Tab-separated table of all heavy atoms in Angstrom:
chain	number	residue	atom	x	y	z
A	92	CYS	N	-27.124	-1.977	-9.974
A	92	CYS	CA	-27.501	-3.369	-9.670
A	92	CYS	C	-28.886	-3.423	-9.055
A	92	CYS	O	-29.745	-4.227	-9.459
A	92	CYS	CB	-26.496	-4.008	-8.708
A	92	CYS	SG	-24.828	-4.219	-9.350
A	93	MET	N	-29.113	-2.553	-8.080
A	93	MET	CA	-30.396	-2.539	-7.386
A	93	MET	C	-31.511	-2.054	-8.303
A	93	MET	O	-32.625	-2.614	-8.308
A	93	MET	CB	-30.296	-1.624	-6.159
A	93	MET	CG	-31.460	-1.732	-5.203
A	93	MET	SD	-31.459	-3.318	-4.346
A	93	MET	CE	-33.214	-3.626	-4.249
A	94	ASP	N	-31.220	-1.041	-9.104
A	94	ASP	CA	-32.241	-0.483	-9.996
A	94	ASP	C	-32.735	-1.531	-10.993
A	94	ASP	O	-33.942	-1.645	-11.231
A	94	ASP	CB	-31.682	0.724	-10.756
A	94	ASP	CG	-31.582	1.963	-9.889
A	94	ASP	OD1	-32.174	1.975	-8.789
A	94	ASP	OD2	-30.909	2.921	-10.304
A	95	TYR	N	-31.821	-2.281	-11.584
A	95	TYR	CA	-32.229	-3.287	-12.577
A	95	TYR	C	-33.041	-4.410	-11.939
A	95	TYR	O	-34.023	-4.892	-12.522
A	95	TYR	CB	-31.011	-3.852	-13.296
A	95	TYR	CG	-30.377	-2.891	-14.271
A	95	TYR	CD1	-29.006	-2.628	-14.232
A	95	TYR	CD2	-31.143	-2.244	-15.236
A	95	TYR	CE1	-28.420	-1.737	-15.126
A	95	TYR	CE2	-30.561	-1.350	-16.131
A	95	TYR	CZ	-29.198	-1.114	-16.072
A	95	TYR	OH	-28.625	-0.234	-16.962
A	96	MET	N	-32.635	-4.838	-10.746
A	96	MET	CA	-33.416	-5.870	-10.069
A	96	MET	C	-34.802	-5.358	-9.718
A	96	MET	O	-35.803	-6.079	-9.849
A	96	MET	CB	-32.674	-6.366	-8.820
A	96	MET	CG	-31.428	-7.166	-9.134
A	96	MET	SD	-30.733	-8.058	-7.704
A	96	MET	CE	-30.190	-6.675	-6.674
A	97	ASP	N	-34.885	-4.117	-9.278
A	97	ASP	CA	-36.172	-3.505	-8.957
A	97	ASP	C	-37.056	-3.411	-10.196
A	97	ASP	O	-38.267	-3.682	-10.134
A	97	ASP	CB	-35.938	-2.117	-8.353
A	97	ASP	CG	-37.233	-1.386	-8.072
A	97	ASP	OD1	-38.055	-1.906	-7.297
A	97	ASP	OD2	-37.430	-0.286	-8.629
A	98	GLU	N	-36.465	-3.029	-11.323
A	98	GLU	CA	-37.234	-2.930	-12.567
A	98	GLU	C	-37.786	-4.289	-12.983
A	98	GLU	O	-38.938	-4.393	-13.422
A	98	GLU	CB	-36.361	-2.347	-13.675
A	98	GLU	CG	-36.074	-0.861	-13.521
A	98	GLU	CD	-35.155	-0.343	-14.613
A	98	GLU	OE1	-35.345	-0.733	-15.780
A	98	GLU	OE2	-34.247	0.456	-14.306
A	99	ALA	N	-36.963	-5.329	-12.872
A	99	ALA	CA	-37.427	-6.672	-13.229
A	99	ALA	C	-38.605	-7.093	-12.348
A	99	ALA	O	-39.609	-7.633	-12.837
A	99	ALA	CB	-36.283	-7.676	-13.102
A	100	ALA	N	-38.488	-6.840	-11.054
A	100	ALA	CA	-39.567	-7.188	-10.121
A	100	ALA	C	-40.834	-6.411	-10.449
A	100	ALA	O	-41.945	-6.966	-10.455
A	100	ALA	CB	-39.119	-6.916	-8.689
A	101	ASP	N	-40.680	-5.138	-10.723
A	101	ASP	CA	-41.833	-4.287	-11.015
A	101	ASP	C	-42.541	-4.737	-12.288
A	101	ASP	O	-43.777	-4.773	-12.348
A	101	ASP	CB	-41.367	-2.833	-11.153
A	101	ASP	CG	-42.468	-1.843	-10.827
A	101	ASP	OD1	-43.348	-2.155	-10.000
A	101	ASP	OD2	-42.459	-0.743	-11.414
A	102	LEU	N	-41.768	-5.127	-13.298
A	102	LEU	CA	-42.373	-5.572	-14.559
A	102	LEU	C	-43.143	-6.875	-14.384
A	102	LEU	O	-44.170	-7.080	-15.033
A	102	LEU	CB	-41.290	-5.734	-15.628
A	102	LEU	CG	-40.679	-4.436	-16.160
A	102	LEU	CD1	-39.497	-4.742	-17.071
A	102	LEU	CD2	-41.723	-3.602	-16.901
A	103	MET	N	-42.667	-7.762	-13.513
A	103	MET	CA	-43.401	-9.003	-13.253
A	103	MET	C	-44.818	-8.689	-12.779
A	103	MET	O	-45.781	-9.369	-13.154
A	103	MET	CB	-42.692	-9.837	-12.185
A	103	MET	CG	-41.409	-10.486	-12.627
A	103	MET	SD	-40.714	-11.489	-11.267
A	103	MET	CE	-39.007	-11.611	-11.774
Side-chain angles (χ1 to χ4, degrees):
C92 295
M93 192 70 216
D94 284 346
Y95 288 129
M96 291 192 293
D97 177 59
E98 288 178 42
D101 206 30
L102 289 173
M103 288 182 201

